[in-house]
């Protein structure tokens, strides 16, 4: 571990992105000391008064110790997590300890219309102390419409595999 680089600092935005163009802060979230915390879905809107093109986004918790992971989707997703009756597209920001902020290629952007809906999906892990967290989403915009419209942030996935008990080096593929 001594040879690994230090973990990213969660108390400031990435230097390479500069100052954010906009911030979205949601209400304080209580986290109990023990037990299991259910997934939370918090709904809000982007702060842009006009249409803008997103070039990067970063999600920062105020208490990273309590966060297992967090996602922000453009659009609205129901509390069931099901896609039916939802308007969301792929996530635009995520927080997992050690994960880098979402940044599009320089010539690509995601259109955020005026007051686009946003869905924060939060998963907390109690660690023995009753605490709170207040995530903040930072948004960086292109100055002009980019050449390409980004349509998906999804990567390969395979949710139907099964690893047999005691198996060693069991290969799994995703496309």
């Amino acid at each position: 571990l001594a040879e690994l680089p230090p973990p990213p600092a969660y108390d400031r935005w990435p230097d390479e992105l500069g100052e954010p163009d906009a911030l979205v802060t949601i209400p304080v979230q209580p986290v109990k000391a023990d037990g299991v915390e259910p997934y939370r879905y918090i709904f809000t809107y982007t702060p842009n008064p006009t249409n803008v093109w997103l070039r990067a986004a970063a999600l920062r918790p105020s208490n990273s110790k309590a966060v297992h992971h967090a996602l922000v989707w453009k659009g609205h997703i129901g509390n069931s997590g099901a896609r039916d009756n939802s308007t969301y597209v792929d996530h635009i920001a995520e927080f997992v300890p050690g994960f880098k902020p979402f940044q599009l290629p320089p010539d690509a952007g995601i259109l955020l219309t005026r007051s686009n809906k946003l869905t924060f999906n939060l998963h907390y892990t109690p660690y023995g102390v009753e605490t709170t967290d207040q995530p903040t989403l930072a948004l960086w915009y292109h100055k002009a419409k980019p050449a390409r419209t980004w349509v998906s942030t999804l990567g390969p996935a395979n949710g139907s595999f099964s690893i047999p008990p005691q198996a060693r080096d069991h290969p799994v593929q995703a496309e």
Side-chain angles (χ1 to χ4, degrees):
L1 288 176
E3 296 175 17
L4 293 175
Y10 300 122
D11 60 345
R12 65 179 196 272
W13 302 115
D15 293 332
E16 68 272 15
L17 294 174
E19 285 298 310
D21 293 302
L23 298 174
V24 178
T25 301
I26 62 171
V28 172
Q29 301 296 305
V31 180
K32 54 190 174 185
D34 52 29
V36 176
E37 287 280 2
Y39 281 68
R40 297 177 195 181
Y41 292 87
I42 311 297
F43 309 107
T44 189
Y45 294 91
T46 56
N48 45 295
T50 62
N51 295 352
V52 294
W53 288 90
L54 184 70
R55 68 178 175 94
L59 184 59
R60 185 173 73 190
S62 65
N63 181 359
S64 62
K65 189 173 180 179
V67 180
H68 181 265
H69 72 274
L71 299 168
V72 177
W73 284 289
K74 174 187 162 188
H76 184 273
I77 180 171
N79 275 322
S80 68
R83 285 186 181 246
D84 36 278
N85 296 324
S86 298
T87 62
Y88 81 97
V89 295
D90 304 333
H91 63 278
I92 60 168
E94 55 196 5
F95 174 84
V96 177
F99 212 75
K100 289 188 168 202
F102 173 71
Q103 189 171 359
L104 293 165
D107 66 340
I110 295 174
L111 178 63
L112 294 180
T113 58
R114 182 177 58 85
S115 297
N116 237 137
K117 289 183 179 179
L118 294 175
T119 299
F120 282 70
N121 169 238
L122 309 168
H123 184 209
Y124 292 104
T125 304
Y127 60 94
V129 176
E130 190 172 302
T131 189
T132 62
D133 177 51
Q134 188 173 30
T136 299
L137 173 68
L139 303 169
W140 288 265
Y141 305 142
H142 284 284
K143 296 198 183 323
K145 181 180 178 182
R148 296 186 302 148
T149 299
W150 194 262
V151 291
S152 180
T153 57
L154 292 178
N158 177 351
S160 63
F161 65 91
S162 177
I163 300 174
Q166 309 300 319
R168 292 182 175 262
D169 300 319
H170 185 79
V172 173
Q173 292 182 320
E175 296 181 357

